């Protein structure tokens, strides 16, 4: 039942996200006729497109290339929350359509634009992450012209210093932008708290044991079992959470992981961590400090914050460490406790906080989740994913960098003596 629940919630999220990421062309839709010399009319949109749409070909006459008549100033300073209007005007026949670019991409959903008779207006409700380079393009069917001026927009009004963002609804709290190390421009995302849940004994749950129980200082030696009945008796078993609790989890930062533990004896291996997260070769451990009570359900809530975790090497966890792991969790383990001397998967629920743009569930905001301005090749609130046409190359940064497929292809050809082209962009 729970699987159906989150799958049906996931689909609209995807569709909604696509919808939100697009700026809106607010130009009124109306048919603009061009009168041919013989008196007939064709659409203005076919003027000078290289085809004779009028019988006499007059729609291909007197074409002039676009040229700039007005461009915005090169420096614009705007306060957060204000409207920023930019104007580009181009002459030419037919009058060109004006398109806008922000850091060479289409502007995002906080912007609208109109283009009529060569006059292009861009209007954006400015957020912190909207500083950057704005430019316009004048487009005719067979020609386009980039603006010669690039407008550098500076956004003022960050209550934190550069590279930090203000935790939502907390004036004094500033958090460093993580942005996967590829950007330092971020703000608090507009995301609402929600959660997904699963029973601890769900059929998708797997199990694991640790090879170096009690002493953790190097690699995490782990053995995974598909069925609980395969787990050897004399070890401390862990739940190994399935898909949906692993992979991309940056939007759970600052949220809670909740589950319940029942024990009937206080004799258990104390040193073993309760929660283990691993991603990008970084392992973080959480230890539940209070004494577990016997004869009742112990409700365990793990705040996903660096202060609660310890690294495998014993050092303190930084926000970058935790965000790196949350960017791509490949291992998520929760410790089991024995009941009546034996271990068995519990039927109690596991609840993980996450965020959604979709709707308010009455659970408040995810105030510590960042949203970054990502460079080319990256997407995700923290630029934690590679964009379409890009794949991860494991160099420079802990989590690697996103490089276009052509780059991967070239790398593959460098090391490959054969000319067969198999999976070259996964090297
Ligand atoms: C092109 O320009 C000439 C000279 O200005 C004018 O006579 C002619 O009508 C124009 N043709 C069209 C299709 O506008
Ligand atoms: C725009 O700002 C840059 C530095 O921020 C400065 O060097 C440049 O002169 C400014 N240009 C104009 C036209 O104000
Ligand atoms: C920007 O344009 C909008 C309409 O598109 C207008 O209401 C607003 O007053 C303009 N703001 C400024 C600062 O020019
Ligand atoms: C904006 O343009 C300037 C040069 O004009 C460049 O140095 C800077 O990196 C650009 N910023 C972005 C975010 O692309
Ligand atoms: C999980 O979210 C639902 C609403 O989506 C809410 O009713 C429920 O209380 C939440 N559970 C927890 C433990 O926060
Ligand atoms: C993972 O990290 C450990 C310790 O920091 C290091 O020795 C090992 O080489 C790393 N492995 C990879 C694949 O990066």
């Amino acid at each position: 039942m729970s699987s159906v629940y989150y799958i049906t919630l996931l689909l609209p999220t995807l569709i909604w996200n696509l919808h939100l990421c697009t700026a809106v062309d607010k130009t009124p839709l109306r048919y603009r006729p061009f009168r041919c010399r013989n008196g007939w009319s064709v659409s203005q949109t076919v003027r000078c497109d290289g085809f004779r749409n009028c019988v006499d070909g007059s729609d291909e006459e007197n074409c002039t290339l676009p040229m700039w008549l007005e461009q915005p100033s090169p420096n614009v300073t705007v306060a957060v929350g204000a409207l920023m209007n930019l104007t580009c005007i181009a002459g030419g026949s037919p009058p060109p359509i004006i398109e806008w670019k922000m850091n060479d991409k289409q502007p995002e959903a906080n912007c609208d634009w109109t283009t009529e008779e060569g006059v292009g207006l861009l209007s954006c409700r400015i957020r912190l992450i909207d500083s950057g380079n704005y430019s316009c393009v004048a487009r005719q069917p067979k020609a386009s012209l980039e603006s010669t001026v690039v407008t550098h927009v500076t956004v003022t009004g960050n209550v934190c210093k550069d590279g930090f963002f203000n935790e939502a609804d907390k004036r004094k709290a500033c958090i460093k932008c993580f942005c996967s190390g590829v950007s330092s421009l971020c703000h608090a995302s507009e995301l609402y708290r929600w959660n997904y849940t699963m029973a601890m004994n769900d059929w998708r749950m797997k199990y694991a044991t640790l090879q170096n129980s009690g002493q953790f200082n190097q690699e995490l030696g782990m053995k995974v079992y598909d069925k609980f009945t395969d787990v050897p008796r004399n070890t401390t078993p862990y739940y190994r959470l399935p898909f949906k609790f692993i992979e991309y989890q940056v939007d759970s930062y600052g949220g809670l992981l909740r589950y319940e533990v029942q024990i009937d004896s206080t004799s258990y291996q104390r040193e073993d961590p309760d929660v283990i997260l691993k991603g990008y070769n970084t392992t973080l451990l959480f230890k539940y400090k209070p004494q577990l009570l016997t004869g009742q359900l112990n409700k365990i809530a793990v705040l996903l914050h660096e202060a609660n975790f310890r690294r495998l090497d014993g050092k303190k966890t930084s926000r970058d460490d935790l965000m790196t792991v949350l960017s791509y969790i490949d291992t998520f383990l929760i410790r089991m406790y024995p009941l009546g001397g034996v271990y068995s998967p519990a039927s109690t629920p596991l609840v993980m906080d996450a965020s959604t743009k979709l709707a308010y569930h009455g659970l408040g905001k995810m105030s510590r989740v960042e949203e970054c301005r990502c460079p080319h090749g990256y997407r995700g609130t923290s630029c934690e994913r590679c964009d379409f046409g890009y794949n991860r190359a494991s160099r420079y940064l802990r989590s690697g960098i996103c490089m276009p497929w052509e780059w991967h292809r070239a790398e593959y050809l460098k090391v490959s003596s054969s000319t067969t082209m198999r999976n070259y962009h996964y090297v």
Side-chain angles (χ1 to χ4, degrees), residues 83-85 121-123:
L83 263 184
M84 175 188 75
N85 296 341
L121 298 174
L122 178 75
S123 185

Side-chain angles (χ1 to χ4, degrees), residues 160-226:
C160 300
K161 62 180 178 190
D162 284 356
F164 287 73
F165 74 98
N166 188 208
E167 185 179 333
D169 309 324
K170 288 211 174 150
R171 265 204 88 68
K172 292 258 167 64
C174 291
I175 301 177
K176 189 167 175 286
C177 297
F178 164 67
C179 304
S180 303
V182 296
S183 169
S184 56
L185 200 54
C186 80
H187 68 172
S189 66
E190 281 287 318
L191 294 174
Y192 299 113
R193 186 183 300 274
W194 71 307
N195 57 57
Y196 31 83
T197 182
M198 189 181 86
M200 301 292 265
N201 62 357
D202 190 278
W203 62 274
R204 288 161 301 176
M205 189 70 89
K206 292 190 178 173
Y207 303 89
T209 56
L210 304 180
Q211 259 124 47
N212 43 359
S213 167
Q215 40 126 17
F216 298 99
N217 41 33
Q218 290 139 23
E219 292 277 306
L220 183 73
M222 181 180 72
K223 208 158 183 282
V224 177
Y225 304 89
D226 281 353

